[in-house]
Amino acid sequence: MPTRGIAGVNERTHSEVLTIRELTDEAGLGLRIVAGARGADFRLEAVYIGDLEDPTPWMIPGSLLLTTGPTFESDPEAGPRLVRLLKASGAVGIGVAITPHVDEIPPGMIDEAEAVGLPLLRVPPETPFRDITSYIFNALSSRDMHRLRRSLALQNELLR
């Protein structure tokens, strides 16, 4: 059954679709969903690493934001505000690195992510962002290569 994200951008259609749930359940990266699990099956299209207060101008719908959260502990509203911005922009999740800035994800951020249904991931200290981005890039490029091969096979069949 298809699920829809903001403005129909995000439809779940096939097993070839990369999702937040796959990142947490199958990728072996140690990621854990701490809130917003009901949004974990939307299609993941990109990953962005950054610590800006509002990274959304540089993100596309379907993105996962990875952040170290440098202001989450000093400003209790920073985390919930970021969750709202990401949800409104069509992002499909946010991963927060445990250390160097955050010992645990702030409760207000967890509550907001649960309320709006945006998956909030705990990134353990032993998982570098480069491992997450590599997994995502490889999965997305494999999917695109599969589509290209399928398209070429269909074109060759039509030519015959």
Side-chain angles (χ1 to χ4, degrees):
M1 167 182 251
T3 53
R4 291 184 129 355
I6 292 187
V9 166
N10 204 320
E11 291 185 12
R12 182 175 166 220
T13 56
H14 305 310
S15 61
E16 69 190 36
V17 171
L18 177 62
T19 64
I20 296 292
R21 189 169 315 282
E22 178 180 334
L23 280 178
T24 58
D25 294 355
E26 300 172 23
L29 296 167
L31 305 176
R32 184 170 51 90
I33 299 174
V34 296
R38 71 179 183 266
D41 292 317
F42 287 127
R43 182 185 351 226
L44 177 56
E45 294 291 337
V47 61
Y48 176 82
I49 299 173
D51 290 330
L52 297 173
E53 282 187 39
D54 182 2
T56 60
W58 292 272
M59 297 173 65
I60 63 168
S63 293
L64 168 68
L65 172 68
L66 299 175
T67 183
T68 62
T71 61
F72 293 168
E73 291 187 354
S74 62
D75 177 3
E77 186 51 31
R81 184 174 47 248
L82 181 59
V83 168
R84 289 188 296 274
L85 283 169
L86 291 171
K87 182 65 177 180
S89 76
V92 295
I94 179 171
V96 178
I98 302 305
T99 65
H101 303 292
V102 176
D103 292 325
E104 283 305 323
I105 299 172
M109 189 174 190
I110 293 171
D111 293 343
E112 189 67 30
E114 188 62 34
V116 301
L118 183 72
L120 177 58
L121 308 179
R122 182 184 187 278
V123 180
E126 64 273 7
T127 302
F129 283 172
R130 74 174 172 270
D131 290 354
I132 301 167
T133 58
S134 290
Y135 186 92
I136 292 169
F137 289 144
N138 287 334
L140 293 176
S141 65
S142 295
R143 177 195 68 186
D144 292 342
M145 188 59 101
H146 175 70
R147 287 180 181 162
L148 178 61
R149 285 186 186 124
R150 188 171 47 197
S151 176
L152 288 173
L154 179 59
Q155 288 176 1
N156 286 336
E157 187 63 30
L158 290 172
L159 287 173
R160 281 187 212 139

